[in-house]
Amino acid sequence: MQIGNKLFPYPTINNNTLRSCFKETVYSFKCNDYNDGQNYILEDARIEINNENIKKKIKEGQLGVGLIIECSATVYRKMYELTIEPQTIKIPIGELRDKVEVSCYIYAKEQIENFNDNDFLEDYDGYCFKIDKNDIIAIDDGYSTIIAYDDSMDKKVSSIFQIIRDKSLQCMVIEKKAKKIVISLPEEEFTYYDNLRKNDNFQNIFFAMLAIPALTYCLKEFQDTVKLGDYELEAIEMEYNWFISVKNAYKKQYNVELTEEVFKNLDVSILSQKLLNNGNLNGIKDLFNISIGRKLYGGEEDE
């Protein structure tokens, strides 16, 4: 959310002093932000403001501090409540991609009948203003950053699937083969898939409908046999080469080895989602984007 040059019917504080209606008040959002490969982290996120009147109203609950993080590529938008005291915010990296905008505002949490401050510019000196609930008092349009999502893991894991046509089928069939997980589709559904698979808009949707259920099914079967003592993880790896990619992706995702003891206690449904970049959740977002795009612009989506 960017306020920019927007004017208000009452004085506001702005991180850009040229736009501020206060003489000496300085306001800004501060943090140490970085991407650790799993999360986008805003460490020591806080506001800095030298106006005691505003600080008092924040402490009393009349004013609040909203940190807004937005990503148009993934339709992510969330407000985090901040205070003057530092806190750390973590956002799973799968929720963000490409340009991310971070901004921070002080806003009214309730109606204020007579808002005034000794630091108003001369034009406002001596006046009181009615502030409605959710009106913005202080503005820091913040910054933009780029989340360079490393999709090499996705490509590696997604390459373990082979989707084929089988005219004899009436439903999807999943088979564990030595080199691939084979997903067989009936004639009509495979044709639809084949026509859409090169369109980036549908990749997460296919992950959600095909790859994640297939990987979950296979990993659950492996897990059950390991728990029963019928199979060791090493034997699975030797018989099913694609499982090596799963182990490597797990280590890259969690920075630990996928041992037999760990594998026994995993929630394989969650693991499948994580290794395939939360394709189910992103698929819902992509469907939303496609639906909204059609409503706004009409017609079909471009490939």
Side-chain angles (χ1 to χ4, degrees):
M1 187 172 84
Q2 298 289 299
I3 301 299
N5 293 317
K6 182 179 177 181
L7 298 176
F8 294 83
Y10 53 85
T12 57
I13 306 163
N14 201 304
N15 183 48
N16 182 339
T17 55
L18 296 176
R19 299 174 182 168
S20 188
C21 302
F22 285 60
K23 290 180 285 190
E24 303 295 335
T25 299
V26 178
Y27 164 72
S28 62
F29 166 69
K30 302 288 185 182
C31 77
N32 174 30
D33 71 316
Y34 58 93
N35 173 5
D36 70 355
Q38 295 185 42
N39 297 285
Y40 176 53
I41 299 174
L42 294 92
E43 192 173 60
D44 294 333
R46 67 200 184 279
I47 62 163
E48 293 183 355
I49 187 166
N50 62 351
N51 186 305
E52 295 302 321
N53 180 40
I54 300 298
K55 285 183 181 179
K56 180 183 176 183
K57 283 180 166 48
I58 292 173
K59 290 178 181 178
E60 291 175 348
Q62 285 186 301
L63 300 178
V65 182
L67 172 67
I68 299 175
I69 300 176
E70 298 173 286
C71 177
S72 59
T74 61
V75 202
Y76 182 91
R77 188 180 192 277
K78 187 171 182 179
M79 188 182 88
Y80 295 84
E81 196 75 26
L82 291 187
T83 65
I84 295 172
E85 298 301 319
Q87 58 184 285
T88 296
I89 294 168
K90 294 183 179 181
I91 305 170
I93 204 65
E95 299 287 329
L96 308 171
R97 190 177 305 160
D98 301 329
K99 185 178 180 181
V100 175
E101 292 184 346
V102 179
S103 52
C104 189
Y105 308 99
I106 297 176
Y107 67 98
K109 299 184 78 171
E110 59 186 48
Q111 185 172 291
I112 303 173
E113 290 295 338
N114 296 296
F115 178 68
N116 62 80
D117 194 278
N118 292 331
D119 197 40
F120 283 167
L121 289 177
E122 287 77 5
D123 290 346
Y124 305 101
D125 193 23
Y127 288 95
C128 292
F129 297 85
K130 180 182 176 182
I131 305 296
D132 291 327
K133 185 177 180 180
N134 296 322
D135 278 353
I136 292 174
I137 302 297
I139 300 158
D140 186 342
D141 277 338
Y143 62 89
S144 296
T145 187
I146 300 296
I147 300 296
Y149 180 72
D150 179 8
D151 64 353
S152 60
M153 181 177 67
D154 285 343
K155 290 177 181 177
K156 213 167 194 178
V157 176
S158 62
S159 68
I160 69 176
F161 299 98
Q162 182 179 9
I163 300 175
I164 64 173
R165 182 197 324 258
D166 190 330
K167 296 180 180 180
S168 67
L169 296 178
Q170 294 183 335
C171 61
M172 181 174 79
V173 173
I174 301 165
E175 295 178 277
K176 303 189 301 293
K177 301 289 187 180
K179 294 183 178 181
K180 301 270 187 180
I181 297 174
V182 177
I183 303 172
S184 301
L185 297 176
E187 170 78 14
E188 184 178 4
E189 285 74 15
F190 180 86
T191 301
Y192 297 152
Y193 161 77
D194 199 42
N195 285 328
L196 296 172
R197 64 187 176 88
K198 293 181 181 178
N199 188 326
D200 289 340
N201 293 327
F202 299 103
Q203 294 309 303
N204 285 315
I205 298 170
F206 286 135
F207 271 17
M209 298 177 68
L210 303 175
I212 291 175
L215 184 58
T216 301
Y217 167 77
C218 294
L219 293 181
K220 185 67 172 69
E221 282 208 339
F222 287 159
Q223 189 180 57
D224 289 344
T225 58
V226 170
K227 284 181 177 179
L228 291 171
D230 296 337
Y231 242 131
E232 293 182 353
L233 212 59
E234 187 177 344
I236 293 173
E237 189 176 321
M238 290 179 63
E239 186 171 345
Y240 300 96
N241 295 337
W242 57 264
F243 190 69
I244 298 172
S245 294
V246 172
K247 287 186 67 177
N248 291 339
Y250 180 89
K251 184 176 180 180
K252 185 170 182 179
Q253 178 93 343
Y254 298 101
N255 202 31
V256 292
E257 297 286 347
L258 181 59
T259 64
E260 190 164 300
E261 196 58 38
V262 170
F263 185 64
K264 285 179 182 178
N265 298 296
L266 281 176
D267 185 325
V268 294
S269 173
I270 292 176
L271 176 61
S272 298
Q273 294 175 57
K274 292 295 184 184
L275 296 188
L276 292 171
N277 185 32
N278 286 322
N280 48 354
L281 301 181
N282 289 324
I284 293 171
K285 294 171 184 175
D286 288 348
L287 277 172
F288 177 82
N289 283 336
I290 293 167
S291 175
I292 292 300
R294 285 178 176 167
K295 287 180 181 178
L296 288 176
Y297 306 114
E300 301 296 320
E301 292 293 308
D302 293 333
E303 290 198 4

